[in-house]
Amino acid sequence: MQQDKPDVVAAIDLGSNSFHMIVARLDETGTLKVLDRLREPVRLGGGLTKKGKIDKKTRKRALDCLERFGQRISDLPRGSVRVVGTNTLRVAKNSRAFVQKAEHMLGHEIEIISGQEEARIIFLGVAHGRATRNGKRLVVDIGGGSTELIVGEGAISEIRESLHIGCVSASRDYFEDGKITEKRMEKAEMAARLTIYPHAHEFHKSDWQEAVGCSGTIKAIRNIAQAEGWCDSGLTLDALYEMRAAIIKQGDIRSLNLAEMKEDRKPVLPGGLAVLIAVFEALNISHMRVSDLALREGLLYDLVGRINREDVRDATVDSALQRWSIDKSHAEAVAATALQLYSQVADKWKLNTERENMLRWAALLHEIGLQVAHSSFQKHGAYILANADLPGFSRPEQELLATLVLNHRKKFRFDTFLDLVETAQTAGSRLCVILRLAALLHRGRPSESGPDVGIEVDGMEIKLSFPEGWLDDHPLTNVDLKREKGYLKQADYRLVYQKT
């Protein structure tokens, strides 16, 4: 059943430096009108210990912030809010525990997205801003723990890189005690250039016509440079050199005194400036325009696309079908049977619309591993889906897809579902049961459509019913079902099937 479109939508960006929330009204034409913006400098990346964990003090600061955010979006329905975690939550060893508590504070699920996906969404946000022109553009976003470089045209990104350098990490590595010297700036810039260098040639040959910067670090540097009179519009390399000379002369983060300099930006300005200078020099940028739109706005527009059934994940799956030479007619037949079974059990098993989408995509891609080898192709498929660049999919979504494909045939590895985020564990195993049955019913690649199968569930018990005579006419499927009873029993499911 189609759900009503929400009137209000929201996006939250759990960045390594700051947490941002944007709330907007969505009208019938798909136009967004911003209602509220919130930002808190949580410094999540600065709270990473040497063991790679977010420390207690930072966790508390972050959760307190999300409790406040949660109050603002508590009345928004599921599907109207997107919350994403970026670099620090990608790398922190205790991110899963943090995310579980954070989801409780917000009342909405959190997606930890890959650097490639972050870059795609950033470009989408910039593309909807006023700072864009026709032709290819290079977009640069310096976050707290990573820097994204993207080239594309219109709203489509063609080249995406996420580099492990950011304003928080660079400031922590080279200016932790607050002292700013010429030697330290040189070291920070050199480290950033070395990170950018392996990718520079790809961006040099991409023939972009303009450079656009976005997000907090670049906007803060732009505001300071223009207020100090170092440039009139956007940013130039000479203006960055002027700023570098000024902060070295002042010598200490705590005593920085620059026009338009916000207090909460001081601790990360030297590191962010060093990274930006390295980007300008490595990519031969002479002038950079600055966009006020970035990741969180991109999230909103991506969310609107999903609401309007223009989901980039559908395009990603279609592309994968072609790129991996998947038998599309067979994949669609399996998907159709999977959705027919799903429709009969969704309410009883408490499966929502987003789970239906995941089942459909997994069914379409369940044979992706055949292009590697026929033997154990489900394992090859799982590896591809877990590690490929799949625009639109978050990390937890890719992990669920991979786990479904891994378990769609032969042994049912129930323990692999326990490695998923908590909200996907039970639902994931139930989706897998449906996928296994759909794939089994089409295993012989029959020319006709699958049978009109009835299915009832009661907890871990699954009852199938077939048209009179169908199992007699398909003895191999009957044998497969007997084997399947054994596979499902290992995962504590009980399969019962009968003729109608």
Side-chain angles (χ1 to χ4, degrees):
M1 185 175 67
Q2 185 173 352
Q3 297 178 336
D4 294 335
K5 293 183 180 180
D7 296 324
V8 177
V9 292
I12 299 177
D13 162 21
L14 308 181
S16 298
N17 184 46
S18 302
F19 285 1
H20 295 261
M21 179 168 72
I22 181 171
V23 183
R25 185 171 299 283
L26 174 63
D27 66 21
E28 293 180 357
T29 66
T31 303
L32 292 169
K33 181 182 179 180
V34 175
L35 301 176
D36 205 359
R37 290 180 185 270
L38 296 174
R39 171 186 176 270
E40 292 197 23
V42 174
R43 304 268 192 274
L44 196 67
L48 277 179
T49 66
K50 292 181 179 179
K51 292 183 178 181
K53 293 185 176 182
I54 305 169
D55 64 39
K56 290 183 179 179
K57 184 178 179 180
T58 304
R59 284 204 309 272
K60 184 179 186 308
R61 187 165 63 240
L63 292 172
D64 287 346
C65 167
L66 295 181
E67 186 174 23
R68 291 187 285 274
F69 281 12
Q71 292 170 7
R72 178 64 179 83
I73 59 173
S74 60
D75 59 339
L76 297 186
R78 183 186 181 92
S80 64
V81 179
R82 283 197 72 188
V83 189
V84 300
T86 56
N87 185 71
T88 297
L89 291 179
R90 285 196 288 267
V91 302
K93 293 181 179 178
N94 58 343
S95 65
R96 177 169 291 188
F98 171 82
V99 165
Q100 288 178 357
K101 291 182 179 179
E103 288 179 337
H104 176 73
M105 297 292 185
L106 290 171
H108 295 273
E109 290 187 10
I110 295 172
E111 308 169 45
I112 299 178
I113 56 176
S114 68
Q116 291 277 334
E117 177 63 2
E118 183 178 356
R120 183 190 70 83
I121 297 173
I122 288 167
F123 192 87
L124 181 62
V126 171
H128 282 85
R130 295 180 179 176
T132 61
R133 296 173 178 166
N134 293 331
K136 285 189 178 181
R137 70 184 70 91
L138 164 71
V139 172
V140 180
D141 182 307
I142 299 174
S146 64
T147 292
E148 278 65 48
L149 306 175
I150 317 105
V151 169
E153 188 169 3
I156 307 299
S157 54
E158 299 170 5
I159 304 171
R160 300 181 295 272
E161 289 294 344
S162 181
L163 310 177
H164 294 293
I165 48 172
C167 65
V168 173
S169 55
S171 296
R172 182 187 60 220
D173 291 344
Y174 298 98
F175 310 100
E176 189 170 20
D177 62 358
K179 300 299 181 183
I180 308 170
T181 66
E182 186 171 357
K183 181 175 285 188
R184 290 187 181 194
M185 283 297 296
E186 288 176 354
K187 286 184 177 180
E189 291 168 22
M190 180 58 71
R193 280 199 297 272
L194 288 172
T195 304
I196 300 166
Y197 179 73
H199 310 280
H201 71 287
E202 189 174 19
F203 288 91
H204 284 311
K205 68 181 183 181
S206 59
D207 193 30
W208 48 269
Q209 282 79 55
E210 68 164 349
V212 181
C214 60
S215 289
T217 294
I218 293 178
K219 288 195 290 186
I221 292 174
R222 183 271 313 270
N223 292 342
I224 295 169
Q226 292 184 8
E228 290 285 353
W230 296 325
C231 60
D232 296 327
S233 65
L235 277 171
T236 64
L237 186 56
D238 285 342
L240 300 184
Y241 288 155
E242 292 272 12
M243 189 178 299
R244 178 176 63 183
I247 66 172
I248 290 172
K249 184 176 181 180
Q250 293 183 19
D252 196 296
I253 287 173
R254 288 154 293 211
S255 60
L256 286 178
N257 183 20
L258 299 168
E260 293 294 320
M261 178 80 194
K262 294 183 178 179
E263 192 67 28
D264 64 18
R265 186 58 62 176
K266 287 183 179 180
V268 296
L269 179 68
L273 178 60
V275 173
L276 188 55
I277 289 172
V279 170
F280 265 70
E281 292 177 342
L283 301 184
N284 295 330
I285 300 171
S286 58
H287 182 268
M288 174 179 284
R289 304 175 76 226
V290 180
S291 170
D292 289 328
L293 277 62
L295 177 62
R296 49 207 163 275
E297 289 81 11
L299 281 171
L300 278 186
Y301 285 106
D302 206 45
L303 176 59
V304 170
R306 294 184 180 187
I307 291 170
N308 291 326
R309 301 187 180 278
E310 298 172 358
D311 196 330
V312 69
R313 293 173 295 181
D314 286 323
T316 295
V317 172
D318 286 342
S319 175
L321 286 169
Q322 296 179 31
R323 186 168 65 250
W324 291 90
S325 302
I326 297 170
D327 183 342
K328 188 174 181 180
S329 61
H330 176 69
E332 288 176 341
V334 173
T337 297
L339 295 181
Q340 186 258 338
L341 295 173
Y342 172 93
S343 66
Q344 300 177 63
V345 302
D347 289 341
K348 201 73 177 287
W349 266 354
K350 294 181 172 59
L351 299 170
N352 58 41
T353 302
E354 186 62 16
R355 302 305 185 200
E356 181 181 8
N357 289 333
M358 295 302 297
L359 174 63
R360 176 167 56 86
W361 292 322
L364 290 171
L365 298 173
H366 75 283
E367 289 190 334
I368 194 171
L370 281 174
Q371 295 304 308
V372 178
H374 188 277
S375 176
S376 299
F377 71 88
Q378 73 275 16
K379 296 180 182 178
H380 304 308
Y383 180 84
I384 291 168
L385 293 172
N387 294 280
D389 175 20
L390 299 180
F393 288 91
S394 66
R395 278 190 171 186
E397 288 172 338
Q398 284 193 228
E399 290 168 358
L400 176 55
L401 270 183
T403 305
L404 289 173
V405 169
L406 174 66
N407 291 285
H408 88 271
R409 64 191 290 264
K410 294 193 173 182
K411 184 179 180 181
F412 196 130
R413 302 164 181 82
F414 188 77
D415 59 317
T416 58
F417 290 92
L418 301 180
D419 293 330
L420 301 174
V421 294
E422 188 174 10
T423 53
Q425 292 174 6
T426 300
S429 71
R430 289 173 173 177
L431 291 178
C432 192
V433 170
I434 299 170
L435 178 60
R436 290 177 68 93
L437 293 173
L440 182 152
L441 293 171
H442 290 272
R443 195 160 291 158
R445 279 175 156 73
S447 57
E448 75 272 13
S449 60
D452 185 15
V453 181
I455 181 171
E456 295 180 10
V457 294
D458 183 9
M460 304 292 280
E461 184 173 84
I462 306 109
K463 293 182 180 179
L464 297 180
S465 56
F466 293 86
E468 182 70 31
W470 192 90
L471 285 176
D472 293 334
D473 294 338
H474 297 80
L476 293 180
T477 300
N478 200 4
V479 172
D480 271 345
L481 283 168
K482 290 178 180 178
R483 290 176 180 170
E484 186 65 14
K485 288 180 66 174
Y487 288 133
L488 291 179
K489 185 177 180 181
Q490 293 173 0
D492 293 328
Y493 283 101
R494 181 169 177 262
L495 176 63
V496 178
Y497 61 95
Q498 59 190 25
K499 303 173 185 177
T500 56

